[in-house]
Amino acid sequence: MNGFFWSNWPLLLLVPIAFVTLGWFAAPAPAWAIFGLLVAAGIHTGVWWLGIVTAGAAILLLPTLRTILISGPLMRMMSKLGFLPKVSATEKEALEAGTTWADAELFSGKPDFKRLSEEDYPDLTETEQAFIDGPVETVCRMTDDWQVWQDRDLPETVWDYLAKQGFFGLIIPSEYGGHGFSASANSAIVSKLSSRSGTLGITVMVPNSLGPAELLHHYGTKEQKDELLPRLADGREIPAFALTEPGAGSDAGSITASGEVFRGEDDELYLRFNWRKRYITLAAVSTLLGLAFKMRDPGNLLGKGEDLGITCALIPTDTPGVEKGERHDPMGVPFYNCPTEGHDVVLPLSCVIGGHNGIGRGWIMLMECLAAGRGISLPASAVATCKAAARLAGGYSAIRKQFGVSIGRFGGVQEPLARIGGFAYLTEAARRYTCGALDKGAKPAVVTAIMKYNTTELARQSINDAMDVLGGAAISRGPRNLLAHAYMATPISITVEGANILTRTLVVFGQGAIRCHPHAWSEVEAAEAGNSRAFDKAFFGHIGHVARNFCRTVVLDLTGGRLGRSPVDGPCASYYKKLDWASARFAILSDLSMAMIGGDLKRREEITGRFADIVSWMYLLQATLRRFEAEGRPAEDLPFLRWSAEYGLARIHNAFDGLYANLNLPLIGWALRGPLRIWSHLVPMGSAPSDHLGSKVAMALQAPGQQRDRITYGLYIPQDTTEAAGRMEHTLDLITRADEVARKIKDAIKKRRLPRQKPISLLEEAQAAGIISSEEVQLAIEAEAARDDTIEVDSFTLEEYLRTSARAHSEPDRQQVPLAS
């Protein structure tokens, strides 16, 4: 006998509606079983048919039967076919390092936005702020970046001041003589120093990043901490950390540096080191070298086998056999960076960080520290670049005139200015939001990889845009130029701490898809261990996860995200709903890709890169929304919020479009390329910010006052008007006040009280007519003189220009020949 669907076929329409409803509300397994039985009965009411369906439902509902009949065989088949990703030892340690946080929520497909919107957005303590207002401000004032580039080093007085004020011990606990500052303070300090001089920022950044101090603090023995941390804190020891080799960059498993255990004549155990490293910052001036090496014990003297794995040790650089090497020249930026070699360097076994407990744990130490540190130093300097670009390009655009109008009023200039301003707003939001999690002890490896990759890339675009806006003033190097050195240094941050190409494709999504997924890592671990019960739990949890996200995506796609969830009302609500939509679609597409491509997905880096872009911009938008709410929803910041959110949603939309066009998945690839892609264009997740909105952002950067100061807060702004940045600030203030004088003259011209000429040429006539006062005349003259002075660029005599050249040093008496005209 046929089921009732055949005689009541309109009821069939209720099946997909019920299915989506159950998935939307994440119904429990029994509800799905009842639904399945009802659908089966609607198809056929025969006893044999219902018996088969009931038996199938019972198997699915009973874990023991399910494991024996389904999960166990499936696990063995997937392992045999190599369907699950192969995870190397170093990859496993990287995956297990650190913690998950907002990244896991965004990967879930149904983020807990209430939780994320209440995460800390911390201010600095009084002590931390006092250090920034005192020693940080002072050392910035002591440093002349142009002179640093000419001398190829920081002044000795600056080096001494950094040591005296404990700049090398920002993260070392106070009981060891350090400051014990939070991640937020560390980040803010590096950001302000970097805004004054990239060399100054790097010099302070490195000792307070991945290296001896951090490794000792977390993993060192008591004896190691007591002896070395005070010396690192007060600058008696200058640290460097050596990981990268000519043949081992991102692939740390390929390092050849070795440390071999042997027994000395005194019957004590020693290590004999040999290494060849490169790109090691501060190595040339270091007194204490952290070394990552492969530890071997050929005689099994430690009873742990022959190959003991990657280990970290501390090497005093005055030890015989240590060679610091010659200087590298990274893009001309004058910070200490060089190769280092060690040949038959012998030290006692106590040099291993953590002593015996640290043997073979070097890689996990590095990954755990990097899981936090990657979100502090380089993002701090990148955010400083974004904010400095905003302040400088905005100020210059108001000061520089063409065709009698400030260039900042031209649409062609406002377009890059809007990007610069939007990036300054959202990167600072992400910096503070991320540091809030790090301050609480979180080590979210995927989030910090998102931060490193995206802030450095956005800084690269900001500096490029600012160079375009300033034009000739940006390419003519000299003391007046505040952009060229940052432009030259940009590729360095793109390259270090994991090249951005690798970070985007292999870390943000490659690791995130496994580490942050609620079930994927459990499936991999269970399969590797041959634990069918654990695999069953993870696998069927995964099935439910996919069903829920599929149904959420259907509903949110059909409604354009309007049924998404927001933890707040007001301007941020619509953007939260779009993020909810993006997370659901991201989750289902990534699950489908992992299911149908399997372990080969990590080699499809164009695809993983687009997934990384989506989750990156979801995170950056979450941080931006948190900033707007945390700062009290200032109405004047609405253009920055809206520009940033709309730009981010457009980036997400474009990444999805790239996935639809290129995800050649079995069976459903045609649907992605055809109907689903067309629908995504009909109901877009986002579109680029309007020109009108961009104009509001651009104009805000050109107006001196509280908002401009708040958007660019944390930079070093010299008060000395003979310095380039101080001169620009002074001129911007003058011309803004002088604009009122020009307005009075223009009004008089319209009323025909004055002839139609440039206002600056009518000052005397306007004063004689009583339109402006003598003080206003003086203000206008002073403002124009300051404008002319500010847009000047540096020039040098031939002797001055050649003074630092190799020819001048090698042939000091050579007659100078004038340049051809």
Side-chain angles (χ1 to χ4, degrees):
M1 181 178 179
N2 290 332
F4 52 81
F5 283 157
W6 304 111
S7 55
N8 299 279
W9 61 267
L11 291 176
L12 280 170
L13 296 176
L14 295 177
V15 174
I17 295 173
F19 181 87
V20 169
T21 301
L22 289 171
W24 177 267
F25 290 104
W32 284 101
I34 293 170
F35 169 72
L37 289 172
L38 289 174
V39 171
I43 295 172
H44 201 286
T45 57
V47 175
W48 63 272
W49 168 252
L50 292 180
I52 291 173
V53 171
T54 303
I59 291 172
L60 292 174
L61 289 173
L62 298 173
T64 301
L65 280 175
R66 193 174 63 208
T67 301
I68 294 171
L69 299 175
I70 300 175
S71 307
L74 180 64
M75 179 190 74
R76 290 187 288 273
M77 182 186 71
M78 293 172 74
S79 298
K80 186 175 181 179
L81 295 176
F83 189 80
L84 293 172
K86 297 293 183 183
V87 181
S88 67
T90 52
E91 284 180 312
K92 185 174 182 179
E93 288 182 334
L95 285 166
E96 292 176 340
T99 59
T100 59
W101 175 53
D103 43 356
E105 293 287 353
L106 296 172
F107 269 87
S108 73
K110 190 179 181 182
D112 184 351
F113 285 125
K114 186 175 189 306
R115 172 200 165 198
L116 295 181
S117 67
E118 294 173 353
E119 289 285 357
D120 288 348
Y121 189 76
D123 290 318
L124 304 180
T125 66
E126 290 185 8
T127 301
E128 292 168 342
Q129 189 62 55
F131 188 82
I132 290 176
D133 295 338
V136 174
E137 183 80 10
T138 299
V139 80
C140 286
R141 194 163 53 245
M142 293 169 64
T143 305
D144 180 340
D145 190 53
W146 172 253
Q147 197 59 46
V148 168
W149 278 65
Q150 299 306 297
D151 295 341
R152 314 295 291 154
D153 195 2
L154 293 169
E156 187 174 343
T157 53
V158 170
W159 278 102
D160 291 342
Y161 188 82
L162 292 175
K164 180 181 177 182
Q165 296 296 327
F167 277 86
F168 301 132
L170 299 179
I171 64 172
I172 294 174
S174 56
E175 59 263 34
Y176 296 105
H179 290 290
F181 285 157
S182 64
S184 292
N186 185 6
S187 171
I189 291 166
V190 168
S191 191
K192 185 166 185 173
L193 295 174
S194 299
S195 73
R196 177 56 160 174
S197 166
T199 300
L200 181 63
I202 291 169
T203 300
V204 172
M205 173 198 307
V206 171
N208 293 288
S209 184
L210 178 64
E214 187 173 21
L215 292 169
L216 281 172
H217 171 47
H218 291 294
Y219 309 106
T221 65
K222 184 178 185 305
E223 293 77 11
Q224 290 172 335
K225 292 179 183 180
D226 291 343
E227 178 187 357
L228 293 173
L229 285 180
R231 297 177 62 82
L232 288 165
D234 62 18
R236 283 177 289 167
E237 301 281 2
I238 301 296
F241 190 80
L243 173 62
T244 305
E245 298 179 0
S250 303
D251 182 11
S254 296
I255 65 174
T256 60
S258 64
E260 190 170 297
V261 181
F262 71 98
R263 191 176 298 280
E265 294 180 358
D266 58 1
D267 206 35
E268 296 294 325
L269 295 181
Y270 292 86
L271 279 166
R272 179 179 290 106
F273 295 96
N274 286 278
W275 72 83
R276 184 169 171 246
K277 303 283 187 177
R278 65 178 180 182
Y279 309 146
I280 311 305
T281 302
L282 293 186
V285 293
S286 66
T287 61
L288 189 65
L289 184 71
L291 181 74
F293 65 98
K294 286 184 175 177
M295 189 167 171
R296 298 186 67 255
D297 184 5
N300 197 21
L301 300 175
L302 296 172
K304 295 184 176 183
E306 181 176 339
D307 294 313
L308 303 178
I310 296 175
T311 304
C312 294
L314 295 176
I315 315 290
T317 57
D318 59 1
T319 306
V322 176
E323 297 178 13
K324 293 184 181 180
E326 299 174 339
R327 291 282 296 273
H328 294 309
D329 186 12
M331 300 302 294
V333 182
F335 67 95
Y336 285 100
N337 188 274
C338 76
T340 174
E341 295 186 16
H343 303 285
D344 294 327
V345 177
V346 175
L347 287 169
L349 206 60
S350 59
C351 70
V352 172
I353 296 176
H356 281 266
N357 291 333
I359 293 172
R361 298 193 68 243
W363 187 239
I364 192 67
M365 291 179 183
L366 297 176
M367 289 299 98
E368 286 181 349
C369 290
L370 196 59
R374 199 187 254 137
I376 300 174
S377 300
L378 289 175
S381 62
V383 172
T385 298
C386 292
K387 292 192 292 187
R391 195 166 186 102
L392 294 171
Y396 187 85
S397 297
I399 294 167
R400 181 80 162 105
K401 279 188 173 182
Q402 289 287 276
F403 309 107
V405 180
S406 295
I407 64 171
R409 295 189 176 274
F410 292 106
V413 173
Q414 288 186 347
E415 185 178 10
L417 277 182
R419 281 195 298 269
I420 294 170
F423 293 167
Y425 184 79
L426 70 89
T427 55
E428 173 66 1
R431 184 191 71 83
R432 293 208 33 204
Y433 189 61
T434 304
C435 286
L438 300 179
D439 286 345
K440 295 193 300 183
K443 295 182 179 181
V446 174
V447 162
T448 55
I450 288 172
M451 284 295 293
K452 188 273 174 181
Y453 166 68
N454 287 279
T455 57
T456 55
E457 289 294 340
L458 293 175
R460 170 155 56 179
Q461 184 161 1
S462 291
I463 201 71
N464 282 340
D465 280 335
M467 293 287 290
D468 289 347
V469 170
L470 270 70
I475 63 174
S476 301
R477 291 185 63 229
R480 289 173 175 267
N481 190 319
L482 297 170
L483 288 177
H485 291 168
Y487 176 81
M488 295 164 70
T490 294
I492 297 173
S493 58
I494 300 297
T495 303
V496 299
E497 284 194 9
N500 275 9
I501 291 175
L502 171 142
T503 302
R504 172 177 176 249
T505 58
L506 293 184
V507 181
V508 174
F509 183 76
Q511 290 186 12
I514 298 176
R515 183 73 174 89
C516 298
H517 194 284
H519 306 288
W521 183 233
S522 298
E523 289 172 323
V524 172
E525 285 189 308
E528 286 187 347
N531 188 335
S532 56
R533 289 296 295 271
F535 181 83
D536 172 83
K537 182 179 179 181
F539 179 77
F540 278 94
H542 198 155
I543 295 296
H545 172 79
V546 169
R548 183 198 71 186
N549 286 326
F550 172 79
C551 297
R552 282 176 49 75
T553 301
V554 169
V555 172
L556 293 171
D557 269 3
L558 291 174
T559 62
R562 291 177 179 82
L563 294 184
R565 298 158 304 123
S566 172
V568 298
D569 55 9
C572 292
S574 63
Y575 300 125
Y576 266 118
K577 291 179 179 181
K578 292 286 185 71
L579 279 182
D580 198 29
W581 179 16
S583 179
R585 187 192 284 179
F586 168 84
I588 190 63
L589 278 181
S590 60
D591 267 318
L592 287 172
S593 300
M594 287 191 289
M596 295 185 176
I597 301 176
D600 285 339
L601 180 60
K602 68 179 182 180
R603 285 179 282 277
R604 299 275 299 275
E605 294 185 358
E606 303 93 335
I607 298 298
T608 61
R610 294 184 180 101
F611 277 121
D613 291 343
I614 295 167
V615 74
S616 290
W617 280 99
M618 286 195 292
Y619 179 74
L620 294 175
L621 261 63
Q622 166 59 40
T624 301
L625 299 176
R626 178 68 182 113
R627 173 180 184 173
F628 186 75
E629 295 289 334
E631 293 181 353
R633 301 182 178 183
E636 62 271 25
D637 284 358
L638 266 174
F640 287 87
L641 168 73
R642 287 177 172 150
W643 191 96
S644 301
E646 290 176 19
Y647 180 87
L649 287 169
R651 290 288 300 268
I652 291 172
H653 171 82
N654 291 339
F656 274 125
D657 188 58
L659 288 175
Y660 283 140
N662 294 282
L663 262 178
N664 298 317
L665 301 180
L667 302 178
I668 64 170
W670 65 272
L672 295 174
R673 292 188 299 275
L676 291 177
R677 190 180 184 196
I678 292 170
W679 179 257
S680 75
H681 283 280
L682 293 174
V683 187
M685 194 165 285
S687 56
S690 69
D691 295 341
H692 178 68
L693 184 57
S695 178
K696 289 183 177 181
V697 173
M699 294 306 296
L701 297 182
Q702 301 174 59
Q706 185 181 16
Q707 186 187 24
R708 182 169 180 265
D709 291 342
R710 189 174 64 255
I711 297 298
T712 60
Y713 178 77
L715 302 177
Y716 173 71
I717 308 295
Q719 301 302 308
D720 186 351
T721 57
T722 64
E723 291 195 37
R727 182 187 301 116
M728 180 178 287
E729 294 298 314
H730 177 63
T731 300
L732 182 61
D733 178 65
L734 283 176
I735 66 165
T736 301
R737 290 191 285 127
D739 280 346
E740 178 62 20
V741 179
R743 187 191 63 77
K744 290 181 180 180
I745 295 175
K746 289 176 181 178
D747 287 345
I749 292 172
K750 290 179 181 178
K751 295 175 183 177
R752 300 188 178 181
R753 295 179 61 191
L754 292 172
R756 188 170 294 280
Q757 297 178 28
K758 289 183 178 181
I760 193 65
S761 64
L762 295 172
L763 293 177
E764 291 183 4
E765 290 185 55
Q767 182 184 354
I771 296 168
I772 59 175
S773 66
S774 59
E775 291 81 5
E776 289 175 316
V777 171
Q778 186 58 37
L779 172 62
I781 292 172
E782 186 180 351
E784 286 306 306
R787 188 196 304 271
D788 291 343
D789 184 35
T790 299
I791 65 174
E792 279 293 331
V793 298
D794 297 288
S795 59
F796 306 92
T797 66
L798 185 59
E799 181 183 5
E800 290 171 333
Y801 185 71
L802 295 177
R803 185 172 297 156
T804 59
S805 72
R807 185 174 74 174
H809 288 285
S810 61
E811 301 179 60
D813 298 326
R814 181 188 177 106
Q815 183 179 357
Q816 303 297 335
V817 180
L819 295 173
S821 61

